[in-house]
Amino acid sequence: KIGDAPARVTALAGGRRRAVIATAKGLYELTGKTTVWKPIKKAPKTVRALVSERWAVVDKGALDLVRLKTTPWPAGAAEHTAFSVR
């Protein structure tokens, strides 16, 4: 059983070991055998989109949700919608 989300979920991404949700309160994760959503510390409060349980699209690039490092978009790059299916 999974615990209730701390707020309305606006995006969801998951893999074999981790699930991530975006809410108005910020980003939360479930890892291992836990059943309680825990905030991802030091993550931005909002993201444009969750691409996977590891990556999110933010204003200035792609955010690695494990290392919490942003890879900036190349100069002059246009923003596009991204998604991942496994």
Side-chain angles (χ1 to χ4, degrees), residues 1-12 19-23 25-30 34-39:
K1 183 176 177 179
I2 296 175
D4 290 338
R8 186 175 65 87
V9 175
T10 57
L12 167 71
V20 175
I21 58 172
T23 73
K25 291 183 172 187
L27 297 174
Y28 292 81
E29 67 180 343
L30 278 177
T34 63
T35 60
V36 177
W37 291 100
K38 295 183 181 178

Side-chain angles (χ1 to χ4, degrees), residues 16-81:
R16 292 189 302 176
R17 296 186 181 125
R18 182 179 188 209
V20 175
I21 58 172
T23 73
K25 291 183 172 187
L27 297 174
Y28 292 81
E29 67 180 343
L30 278 177
T31 56
K33 295 181 179 181
T34 63
T35 60
V36 177
W37 291 100
K38 295 183 181 178
I40 300 176
K41 294 178 181 175
K42 299 185 182 179
K45 186 172 179 180
T46 62
V47 296
R48 289 185 175 245
L50 290 175
V51 179
S52 70
E53 74 280 2
R54 171 126 194 197
W55 293 97
V57 176
V58 293
D59 289 337
K60 296 182 180 180
L63 173 66
D64 181 331
L65 294 169
V66 174
R67 296 181 345 188
L68 295 174
K69 303 277 184 189
T70 299
T71 302
W73 300 127
E79 182 180 326
H80 295 284
T81 302

